[in-house]
Amino acid sequence: MSKKTVTITNNWTGKQVDLPLVEGSQGPYGIDVRPLYSELGLLAYDPGFFSTASCSSQITYIDGEEGVLQYRGYPVEQLAEQSNFLETAYLLMYGELPTLTQLSAFRTQICHHTMINESLKNFFHGFHYDAHPMAVMVGVVGSLSAFYHDSLDIRDPEHREVSAHRMIAKMPTIAAASYKHTIGEPFVYPRNDLDYCGNFLNMMFSTPCEPYPMDPLKEKALNLLFILHMDHEQNASSATVRLAGSSQANPFACIAAGIASLWGPAHGGANEAVLEMLEQIGTPERVPEFIRRAKDKEDPFRLMGFGHRVYKNYDPRARLIRKTCHEVLAQVAPDAYNPIFELALKLEELARSDDYFIERNLYPNVDFYSGIIYRALGIPNNMFTVMFAIARTVGWVSHWMEMMGDPGQRIGRPRQVYTGATERVYCPIERR
Ligand code: SDX
């Protein structure tokens, strides 16, 4: 059967080109536009990549119309309810759910990379106590590229794998240290007898004076949040890691680039912005005023935690997180946080009944409810995006490994449509 193609005709010159289709296992096919420039002298133009596939990938599938999210084919709802961080991290990295033996070996690998070089502590002390933890994360994670000279050959699959293990293992340690630095408490070392989420909570909240009482509900809630934040196909930060990695840059430097991109309030920084917005709104009576502002094109205010480039239906992660909010708040801190949660529910109800949001398919996204749970776990607002970064590191390293393992991998180098000045002659300053 002949290959599926799409014919593009340049009506201006009459030239035509048949472009082959790139067929996926599910979801939209792609048009391979690589011959476009050589055949028609034209570029595909798509600022913001609304209709552009930058690669093919087998890691995560999203159906934005149906509100579907699958990691390696497994619905995220099933993983969130039945799996845990390390098992799902293994699935994203290696493509299959691990056997008991594989999971045990993976856990041992990760556990034995959780410590950071003692000299790294000096980096934290170079920041003022009021530095935003995401600024600290960008700096300290980037500085890991100055270490590990034993595994810097990124053409070596084993070096790539150990770099991925090190990144997943060290993110919680660096994140907790970023927090401890802002509150002037001593860093807490990782413990290999605790699981990934329990170990992180212990590094965040225990002190030399007293141990942190482990709470299975909090660990369960954190496992769910980390699983739901782990990957999301070619989102801005994962696309950043891929582009940085395409030049064969140091993997830790690429992850630092991903952290920088995630920090923006249009992306992962939205979870912190949602809590600031809810605190600014304050009471359900003021919700209509803020919905009016979100609709006003003259007002830069947007409803943080609402809308999504791909989801034009409910973000499945937001639905699961909202459900977990009920469970966590009911047991962990009903008095302190219910008002904020009630306000979020009211905001969602009024926004979702407003034509502006309905017509634009604006639903709560992953960031709308997550901060409420983080707060109930005792995590401060300025650490919410750091939490996102810990989880998304699994997606970032999985995409980096998938890209670097592709023998056809090339440097990413987008073109542009130039609209600036045409050639002109230099004019000496005395004649300007
Ligand atoms: C994440 O890509 C990913 O997968 C990201 C992520 C992941 O897991 O990696 O899912 C995580 O980043 C979630 C998004 C978190 N960001 C926010 O919650 C910030 C608030 N949301 C928006 O800024 C916005 O919705 C984006 C950035 C999420 C999406 O922007 P798009 O796709 O460029 O959409 P757009 O800005 O073109 O909006 C379309 C219309 C516009 O109105 P019109 O020009 O058509 O009249 O919807 C309006 C926008 O003004 N709109 C909003 C709005 N979001 C979109 N209006 C008010 N409040 C909002 N939140």
Side-chain angles (χ1 to χ4, degrees):
M1 187 168 67
S2 65
K3 257 176 99 61
K4 296 188 179 76
T5 61
V6 164
T7 301
I8 302 259
T9 303
N10 181 338
N11 295 322
W12 171 43
T13 65
K15 286 186 76 176
Q16 276 195 345
V17 61
D18 291 337
L19 299 174
L21 287 190
V22 178
E23 299 182 40
S25 54
Q26 53 182 346
Y29 290 176
I31 303 172
D32 185 344
V33 294
R34 284 174 290 188
L36 199 58
Y37 184 64
S38 57
E39 296 295 321
L40 294 185
L42 296 172
L43 299 172
Y45 180 72
D46 186 12
F49 309 120
F50 281 76
S51 302
T52 294
S54 60
C55 62
S56 61
S57 177
Q58 300 180 355
I59 298 171
T60 292
Y61 173 69
I62 301 172
D63 180 332
E65 280 63 43
E66 299 302 318
V68 167
L69 172 58
Q70 298 168 356
Y71 291 160
R72 300 284 189 180
Y74 293 98
V76 74
E77 293 85 348
Q78 293 178 24
L79 295 167
E81 303 284 346
Q82 302 175 59
S83 186
N84 59 56
F85 177 89
L86 276 184
E87 184 181 70
T88 304
Y90 184 99
L91 171 68
L92 280 172
M93 278 186 67
Y94 298 105
E96 298 296 337
L97 286 169
T99 61
L100 266 176
T101 308
Q102 289 167 328
L103 184 59
S104 171
F106 184 60
R107 186 181 188 286
T108 302
Q109 271 297 320
I110 297 299
C111 276
H112 286 87
H113 286 300
T114 50
M115 286 177 74
I116 55 177
N117 190 300
E118 285 290 295
S119 61
L120 264 178
K121 286 183 176 177
N122 304 324
F123 281 80
F124 292 93
H125 298 312
F127 290 94
H128 285 180
Y129 74 93
D130 59 353
H132 193 290
M134 282 297 277
V136 179
M137 293 297 288
V138 171
V140 175
V141 170
S143 70
L144 292 177
S145 50
F147 295 79
Y148 309 116
H149 297 287
D150 64 334
S151 60
L152 280 184
D153 178 3
I154 54 169
R155 293 180 303 272
D156 180 336
E158 286 182 12
H159 284 197
R160 294 201 295 268
E161 185 178 35
V162 74
S163 297
H165 289 166
R166 279 181 166 135
M167 204 63 263
I168 291 172
K170 295 181 194 305
M171 279 297 274
T173 310
I174 295 169
S178 304
Y179 169 65
K180 286 295 199 187
H181 177 66
T182 61
I183 58 172
E185 286 188 5
F187 298 165
V188 175
Y189 283 93
R191 280 178 41 188
N192 292 347
D193 61 315
L194 299 176
D195 81 359
Y196 195 86
C197 292
N199 181 38
F200 172 70
L201 290 170
N202 186 61
M203 290 190 287
M204 281 284 287
F205 300 118
S206 71
T207 69
C209 319
E210 57 185 59
Y212 171 71
M214 283 299 147
D215 179 339
L217 176 82
K218 291 184 177 180
E219 290 184 60
K220 179 175 179 281
L222 200 49
N223 262 296
L224 177 129
L225 287 167
F226 278 169
I227 287 171
L228 293 178
H229 285 80
M230 260 186 197
D231 191 52
H232 215 234
E233 61 146 79
Q234 303 309 316
N235 59 88
S237 54
S238 297
T240 298
V241 171
R242 277 182 173 259
L243 192 56
S246 74
S247 70
Q248 301 179 26
N250 178 290
F252 301 109
C254 296
I255 298 301
I259 295 171
S261 171
L262 183 74
W263 191 5
H267 188 12
N271 55 17
E272 179 179 357
V274 165
L275 257 293
E276 285 161 7
M277 174 185 72
L278 292 173
E279 285 159 353
Q280 189 187 0
I281 294 173
T283 63
E285 292 67 39
R286 293 191 65 202
V287 167
E289 170 199 341
F290 282 82
I291 288 185
R292 180 189 54 72
R293 285 188 55 196
K295 293 156 56 175
D296 178 357
K297 294 301 175 199
E298 300 309 312
D299 189 329
F301 174 79
R302 280 199 161 179
L303 219 47
M304 300 316 283
F306 256 76
H308 199 277
R309 171 61 58 77
V310 178
Y311 288 124
K312 300 311 172 192
N313 196 322
Y314 216 99
D315 183 333
R317 302 167 296 176
R319 185 180 286 116
L320 281 166
I321 293 172
R322 183 178 63 179
K323 175 171 169 285
T324 305
C325 264
H326 277 297
E327 295 159 12
V328 171
L329 293 184
Q331 296 190 52
V332 170
D335 307 329
Y337 301 109
N338 265 336
I340 281 268
F341 184 45
E342 294 306 322
L343 183 58
L345 291 170
K346 185 70 180 171
L347 180 55
E348 176 187 349
E349 177 200 333
L350 291 182
R352 286 300 307 147
S353 59
D354 185 292
D355 288 343
Y356 174 94
F357 292 85
I358 294 168
E359 287 158 8
R360 291 167 177 79
N361 297 309
L362 302 177
Y363 291 85
N365 57 50
V366 67
D367 293 310
F368 190 63
Y369 288 105
S370 55
I372 297 168
I373 301 182
Y374 287 141
R375 277 282 286 275
L377 300 180
I379 292 161
N381 289 17
N382 67 1
M383 281 290 292
F384 292 174
T385 311
V386 174
M387 301 299 286
F388 199 148
I390 293 172
R392 188 50 59 89
T393 295
V394 177
W396 291 332
V397 299
S398 299
H399 281 282
W400 178 75
M401 285 179 71
E402 181 178 65
M403 177 183 73
M404 298 310 291
D406 173 4
Q409 187 269 323
R410 311 279 289 277
I411 190 168
R413 203 283 185 207
R415 299 298 303 278
Q416 62 171 27
V417 172
Y418 178 71
T419 56
T422 52
E423 185 172 339
R424 51 187 171 165
V425 177
Y426 179 80
C427 173
I429 193 162
E430 52 277 2
R431 294 215 309 267
R432 286 178 214 158

